[in-house]
Amino acid sequence: MGAIVRSETYYRRPSTCTQAKWDAATWPERALICLEYVLRMRIPRPEGDNGLSAWARIDSGRWLAECPTCGSAQIVTPTDPRMTCCRDFTGWTTLLMPADPDAVEAPLAGLPTREQFWWADDDPANPANQQPTAPGPTDPGGEL
């Protein structure tokens, strides 16, 4: 149980990054610095906005967003609602966030992490928006 994890509480300055470089970076840029350290590879910095958007959600107690082109996920923050994918390098993606993220987090803070989930009402991935599917054929009793 506890506070919802944001970029600010997840990404930490790696030993290979100077304090000055870390302090000068935005939270989405700090995510790239950490990913470079973990992946041991250079990640190109976005040149600008890619015109895409992605829904942010709370997933197992973390603010998370998925790349709209490849589906890879990243921990994000409402304080700077952008992300870039370190797999397809498409540029900055705008995150669709709630107007009051603190109000979204408040009722989840006392729950166990496994119960800390939230989706925006308009998010197509929201389970509440999914249509039930018809059950498939039943097994006729083991005969093939």
Side-chain angles (χ1 to χ4, degrees):
M1 293 190 284
I4 303 302
V5 174
R6 297 179 176 195
S7 292
E8 297 91 325
T9 53
Y10 183 77
Y11 297 112
R12 295 287 178 236
R13 182 179 64 86
S15 59
T16 55
C17 178
T18 66
Q19 188 65 51
K21 181 178 177 181
W22 186 254
D23 291 343
T26 64
W27 280 107
E29 292 166 341
R30 289 178 183 185
L32 293 178
I33 292 169
C34 288
L35 289 169
E36 283 181 328
Y37 178 76
V38 170
L39 298 173
R40 303 280 193 248
M41 63 179 266
R42 178 83 174 107
I43 299 173
R45 296 306 189 259
E47 301 261 338
D49 187 24
N50 61 17
L52 301 173
S53 61
W55 291 95
R57 67 178 187 271
I58 296 176
D59 188 291
S60 293
R62 304 161 298 174
W63 278 104
L64 190 80
E66 293 179 16
C67 173
T69 57
C70 76
S72 66
Q74 192 174 107
I75 294 175
V76 297
T77 181
T79 60
D80 190 342
R82 300 177 297 148
M83 70 172 282
T84 189
C85 183
C86 64
R87 292 184 65 185
D88 56 19
F89 312 113
T90 58
W92 291 114
T93 297
T94 301
L95 299 179
L96 304 171
M97 290 275 190
D100 188 355
D102 293 328
V104 169
E105 292 178 5
L108 301 175
L111 299 174
T113 303
R114 68 180 177 275
E115 296 177 17
Q116 291 177 325
F117 289 88
W118 175 86
W119 286 266
D121 291 336
D122 295 335
D123 184 345
N126 184 337
N129 297 336
Q130 305 300 314
Q131 296 297 322
T133 57
T138 58
D139 183 357
E143 294 184 287
L144 296 177

